Amino acid sequence: QLQLVESGGGLVQPGGSLRLACAASGLTTNYYTVGWFRLVPGNEREGVSCLSTSHGSTYYADYVQGRFTISYDNAKSTVYLQMSDLRPEDTAVYYCAAVVPQKMSSWYCRDHRAMEYWGKGTQVTVSS
């Protein structure tokens, strides 16, 4: 079974940057939709950014457009989320997720329930 392990979370000042990493193991195919979801207390998991490992297409939530960049390293089977211009409202637990896609990547990124595999999450705190 596919396993996902996140890293890179931590405490940063507003306007700062973090780079999250999600290392995948147990891959059974080269075709995955992978992405990042965030969880804030009192809310459901929200799709932040997703990517198709086969097509390279990407999706970004409006609130991170222009600030975050998702990428994938095939050699390391690792998904990255470069987070810049961080804001206090970005504070959340960030989860890596993946699914073998039947539809375009953006469809899966809009609903956490569509994703099949999940990491345990990494805490991102933006505070002065």
Side-chain angles (χ1 to χ4, degrees), residues 51-128:
L51 175 148
S52 170
T53 63
S54 59
H55 295 87
S57 58
T58 59
Y59 165 86
Y60 295 95
D62 289 343
Y63 54 83
V64 304
Q65 184 70 47
R67 299 190 297 123
F68 293 6
T69 302
I70 190 170
S71 61
Y72 180 70
D73 187 331
N74 285 92
K76 297 182 178 180
S77 298
T78 299
V79 182
Y80 300 95
L81 185 67
Q82 179 65 50
M83 311 166 70
S84 300
D85 297 325
L86 284 163
R87 306 163 180 171
E89 53 264 40
D90 293 320
T91 296
V93 178
Y94 284 74
Y95 295 87
C96 180
V99 66
V100 178
Q102 296 289 94
K103 302 176 180 179
M104 63 180 69
S105 297
S106 61
W107 187 89
Y108 296 95
C109 210
R110 292 184 174 94
D111 187 354
H112 68 92
R113 294 170 294 182
M115 306 300 275
E116 183 174 1
Y117 306 102
W118 291 88
K120 295 182 179 180
T122 184
Q123 177 70 48
V124 172
T125 302
V126 184
S127 176
S128 60

Side-chain angles (χ1 to χ4, degrees), residues 38-46:
R38 75 180 194 181
L39 179 63
V40 178
N43 293 273
E44 290 192 309
R45 298 185 189 193
E46 302 175 328

